[in-house]
Amino acid sequence: MNCKEATHLMSEDLDRPLRWHEQVALRFHLMMCSGCRNFRTQIGFLRAAIRLRSGGD
Amino acid sequence: MTKLNAIMTQADPPADPSVDVPEQIQGFFGEHRPDLVRFASIQLRDPAMAEDVVQETLIAVLKGHNAFANRSSVKTWVFSILKRKVIDALRLRQREVPISQLGSGDEETEGHNDLFDRRGFWANEHKPHRWANPDDSLEQKQFWRVFELCLDHLPERTSRVFMMREFLELETDEICQELAITTSNCWVILHRARMSLRLCLDETWFTR
């Protein structure tokens, strides 16, 4: 798996349950890739920020 | 405001007289109206329509305040009604301007290829770096201004899907049905939206 594919899976992880083999492949990629680890944290932050703005307490 | 007064006077007294719910609601709207309008406006891309939707929300909230008895908070409740009103407004617009008419997505062709090298790994200068204290940013007005500017930069089709997913918290299936696009197309659009938004915040706010 390369980073581009990983970003797709990390995004889709916010929209659907990942399949078992996708989870494994992604986890393996993340172990080796700090750029993608940061990417995952940051798109999670985007979601949290928006929820905070739209009435979430 | 006569309309409001009429609603106020015909409203039943709240169950608990120590808490005047309409007053709480009025207070909330007085304080947060600009936030509510911005919330609606950024999704509808139409300030006048956003004002209308917020006004309708206020009326609906005042009418239904008896149902509010044990809600978690006025804010959560108001936003849940506002979201429903925004969805209604979007439905109306979808009938007028179906998303399929918003261009074939030319403006949103995979524009992030330059972030990766030929093998699909992050290009050195685009590799995401850790953001410094993102949680502190949430407290800053300026951050939200930048955030909204970044949202405004999304192509309209991308924006519509992303707003429905993140602001209105609809499930992907619902969005696909609503907009008559395929699920996999939905995922691709959401991925693009997140890529763009992350990049924009990275460059404009979390400067390296």
Side-chain angles (χ1 to χ4, degrees):
Chain A
M1 174 176 306
N2 63 29
C3 299
K4 200 172 166 178
E5 290 159 348
T7 63
H8 276 275
L9 279 186
M10 288 185 276
S11 174
E12 285 178 33
D13 191 25
L14 298 175
D15 302 317
R16 66 171 176 93
L18 293 186
R19 296 198 180 88
W20 180 80
H21 67 91
E22 291 172 326
Q23 286 182 37
V24 172
L26 179 61
R27 205 172 299 162
F28 190 70
H29 178 86
L30 288 172
M31 279 198 288
M32 302 180 301
C33 180
S34 65
C36 283
R37 283 201 298 276
N38 289 329
F39 179 90
R40 185 169 61 161
T41 306
Q42 289 160 8
I43 62 171
F45 171 78
L46 294 181
R47 169 165 287 182
I50 291 172
R51 300 257 154 119
L52 195 72
R53 283 295 264 184
S54 45
D57 280 319
Chain B
M1 287 306 264
T2 48
K3 207 174 189 180
L4 280 186
N5 287 337
I7 292 163
M8 297 289 295
T9 47
Q10 63 175 246
D12 300 329
D16 178 1
S18 66
V19 188
D20 187 3
V21 176
E23 202 150 302
Q24 267 188 53
I25 294 167
Q26 297 276 33
F28 179 84
F29 271 82
E31 199 179 336
H32 294 286
R33 192 182 182 95
D35 291 338
L36 299 171
V37 173
R38 207 173 305 126
F39 175 84
S41 170
I42 206 163
Q43 294 175 82
L44 300 169
R45 298 194 171 202
D46 180 339
M49 202 189 229
E51 284 283 353
D52 290 348
V53 166
V54 170
Q55 194 58 31
E56 281 173 28
T57 302
L58 175 56
I59 291 167
V61 168
L62 287 168
K63 267 188 182 156
H65 75 76
N66 286 332
F68 173 67
N70 296 316
R71 300 280 183 149
S72 47
S73 80
V74 173
K75 180 185 170 190
T76 307
W77 185 45
V78 168
F79 266 103
S80 72
I81 293 183
L82 178 60
K83 283 174 189 173
R84 277 213 304 274
K85 297 282 178 195
V86 169
I87 292 170
D88 291 346
L90 285 172
R91 283 208 174 116
L92 198 67
R93 176 169 315 166
Q94 171 68 8
R95 283 202 293 273
E96 290 164 356
V97 188
I99 201 159
S100 52
Q101 284 180 18
L102 290 177
S104 55
D106 296 347
E107 53 181 352
E108 32 177 66
T109 43
E110 192 71 64
H112 301 294
N113 279 333
D114 59 342
L115 300 177
F116 302 100
D117 66 17
R118 241 175 311 165
R119 293 177 314 137
F121 290 87
W122 292 109
N124 253 340
E125 66 274 24
H126 293 301
K127 189 173 160 188
H129 288 266
R130 187 192 281 276
W131 286 345
N133 308 321
D135 291 350
D136 296 348
S137 304
L138 298 174
E139 308 292 325
Q140 298 173 47
K141 271 209 163 67
Q142 190 58 33
F143 170 76
W144 292 108
R145 243 170 256 140
V146 170
F147 198 100
E148 281 167 23
L149 281 174
C150 287
L151 281 169
D152 276 340
H153 277 301
L154 295 175
E156 176 146 7
R157 217 169 74 116
T158 307
S159 168
R160 202 186 278 190
V161 174
F162 183 72
M163 296 287 177
M164 289 172 98
R165 180 71 188 110
E166 299 298 348
F167 279 69
L168 303 173
E169 298 179 45
L170 297 170
E171 290 301 326
T172 322
D173 297 349
E174 294 176 86
I175 300 169
C176 304
Q177 272 181 359
E178 193 76 41
L179 302 176
I181 50 182
T182 63
T183 315
S184 59
N185 198 354
C186 235
W187 289 328
V188 170
I189 293 174
L190 288 166
H191 172 260
R192 259 182 228 143
R194 292 182 184 119
M195 286 293 258
S196 299
L197 199 50
R198 191 206 74 81
L199 191 62
C200 179
L201 281 178
D202 193 72
E203 289 173 343
T204 50
W205 181 262
F206 296 104
T207 36
R208 313 229 172 119

